[in-house]
Amino acid sequence: MVGSQDLRKPAVVALRTLAVAACYYASARLGLLRELVVEGAVVTPIWPPTGVAVACLLLLGLRCWPGIALGAFFVVLSLTSLTPSVLGILAGNTAAPVAGYLMLRRAGFRIDLARLRDGLALVFLGAFTAMLISSTTGAGTLVVTGRLEWSGFWPVWLAWWVGDAMGVLLVTPVLLLLARVRRPLPLSRWKEALGLTVVACCLLPVAARSSVSLLYLVYPLLIWTALRFQLAGSMLCALFASVMATVAATDHVGPFERLNRVEVMLKLQTFNGAMALTALILSAVITEQIHTRRSVERACQELVEVLGHLTAGDTADGRARAEEGGAGRARRQDE
């Protein structure tokens, strides 16, 4: 029995490592479907593997980091040959989500994202701060190895950093949400969710590809989904809108039609960043208010029950004293 358990543990670790690596690699292939060139370097507006890596670390713990490193290794190997510069990029892509996880754990992050502080921690620690490691390591390695000129360091660094940060802001909350799904919505909520989905599928592709700047139409829909479905609605809506905008930007259509490559990147990432921040923080605020209201309602209900017990006790005591007084008067009359 002990021997079988000893053999089972390495097998579980190996399967978990391979599963994390496979998810990382699959999300990377999806991200590479849409690319932009900045200063001769190929970057992705949204890099989903960073979001997958941070979500896996939050759900499985630090022991899954070998799977992240293995997935990053296969991604880099599928794009170029193995060189010392590749090893630097690989180290940065592995260290960034690990650093983000450690900072989030230090800040007391909760994966339900039910508090405003959790949303802010994911934005400023897990995305903005931690992804400085991967962008600095990656762009610096390209410069040191001569594959990038010094003049192109900052544009590539910025594009790299924003792409990794967008992966955390858009993908990590969705994966944390899917990991917590336990029961289906009531039928009435399904009807509303279906209606929102139809509106989003009709509105967002048109807004992203229209020559008239209609991207601002995303925000009323985003606010509606956040109010009605909190994190689930707002983050799924934000992810779909970001994908539509990224497709339009890489095709150079709609509001991105007459822009150069740098302007496309700046406009796209400004839109994606503002939308992700709005969805994440707004849904966190709404969820926190809902939980506070429920806590107040429970406290009021408990107070009503306590007052009811006290009132019942006072009534019983008064009745007992009245009965004792009546018995005393009856005895005096008999005497």
Side-chain angles (χ1 to χ4, degrees):
M1 183 68 177
V2 176
S4 63
Q5 290 180 349
D6 292 339
L7 292 175
R8 191 180 307 159
K9 187 175 180 180
V12 171
V13 172
L15 289 175
R16 182 174 59 238
T17 301
L18 292 176
V20 172
C23 292
Y24 190 100
Y25 182 82
S27 62
R29 301 311 302 179
L30 289 175
L32 290 170
L33 293 176
R34 294 290 170 170
E35 303 172 346
L36 289 174
V37 179
V38 178
E39 297 295 331
V42 178
V43 296
T44 56
I46 304 173
W47 188 236
T50 56
V52 172
V54 173
C56 289
L57 288 166
L58 290 172
L59 294 172
L60 303 177
L62 194 59
R63 60 181 180 271
C64 73
W65 75 264
I68 298 171
L70 184 62
F73 173 77
F74 284 127
V75 172
V76 174
L77 199 62
S78 66
L79 298 175
T80 184
S81 59
L82 189 61
T83 60
S85 63
V86 168
L87 295 179
I89 296 174
L90 177 62
N93 288 346
T94 304
V98 171
Y101 162 74
L102 293 176
M103 286 189 289
L104 289 174
R105 190 177 66 174
R106 181 74 176 177
F109 179 81
R110 294 196 321 209
I111 62 174
D112 58 0
L113 287 168
R115 304 174 300 175
L116 177 60
R117 58 176 295 184
D118 297 325
L120 294 176
L122 185 64
V123 171
F124 292 103
L125 297 179
F128 289 171
T129 302
M131 296 305 119
L132 293 172
I133 299 174
S134 58
S135 60
T136 304
T137 303
T141 302
L142 293 177
V143 170
V144 170
T145 57
R147 299 173 62 183
L148 180 67
E149 298 293 333
W150 276 107
S151 60
F153 173 81
W154 289 112
V156 172
W157 177 90
L158 181 61
W160 199 312
W161 175 67
V162 174
D164 285 358
M166 288 301 102
V168 176
L169 292 180
L170 292 170
V171 177
T172 298
V174 173
L175 295 179
L176 295 179
L177 172 70
L178 293 176
R180 294 177 53 249
V181 172
R182 293 293 180 270
R183 57 182 181 180
L185 292 173
L187 181 59
S188 60
R189 301 300 303 278
W190 273 114
K191 294 179 180 178
E192 186 177 3
L194 181 60
L196 276 170
T197 302
V198 172
V199 172
C201 291
C202 295
L203 176 64
L204 296 182
V206 174
R209 304 184 75 88
S210 174
S211 57
V212 183
S213 186
L214 297 177
L215 287 177
Y216 62 88
L217 292 177
V218 174
Y219 289 95
L221 183 62
L222 198 65
I223 295 171
W224 181 15
T225 54
L227 288 171
R228 297 300 298 160
F229 296 96
Q230 290 80 56
L231 186 67
S234 63
M235 292 314 304
L236 289 174
C237 179
L239 181 61
F240 181 60
S242 178
V243 170
M244 292 294 99
T246 301
V247 171
T250 52
D251 289 341
H252 294 278
V253 298
F256 308 96
E257 185 176 1
R258 296 179 178 85
L259 304 180
N260 59 42
R261 293 174 179 177
V262 175
E263 291 173 342
V264 168
M265 175 63 73
L266 290 176
K267 186 170 185 176
L268 174 64
Q269 298 300 37
T270 300
F271 170 74
N272 285 342
M275 184 180 54
L277 288 174
T278 301
L280 188 58
I281 295 178
L282 179 61
S283 61
V285 170
I286 293 172
T287 303
E288 190 174 42
Q289 290 180 347
I290 290 175
H291 287 178
T292 301
R293 185 186 65 189
R294 290 175 179 173
S295 298
V296 172
E297 290 176 351
R298 285 196 297 268
C300 292
Q301 182 64 31
E302 292 174 358
L303 181 60
V304 169
E305 293 176 357
V306 170
L307 291 175
H309 289 308
L310 292 176
T311 303
D314 292 341
T315 303
D317 292 340
R319 188 181 300 111
R321 285 194 293 268
E323 291 176 354
E324 290 177 358
R329 287 193 297 272
R331 285 196 297 270
R332 286 195 297 269
Q333 290 176 358
D334 293 339
E335 292 174 355

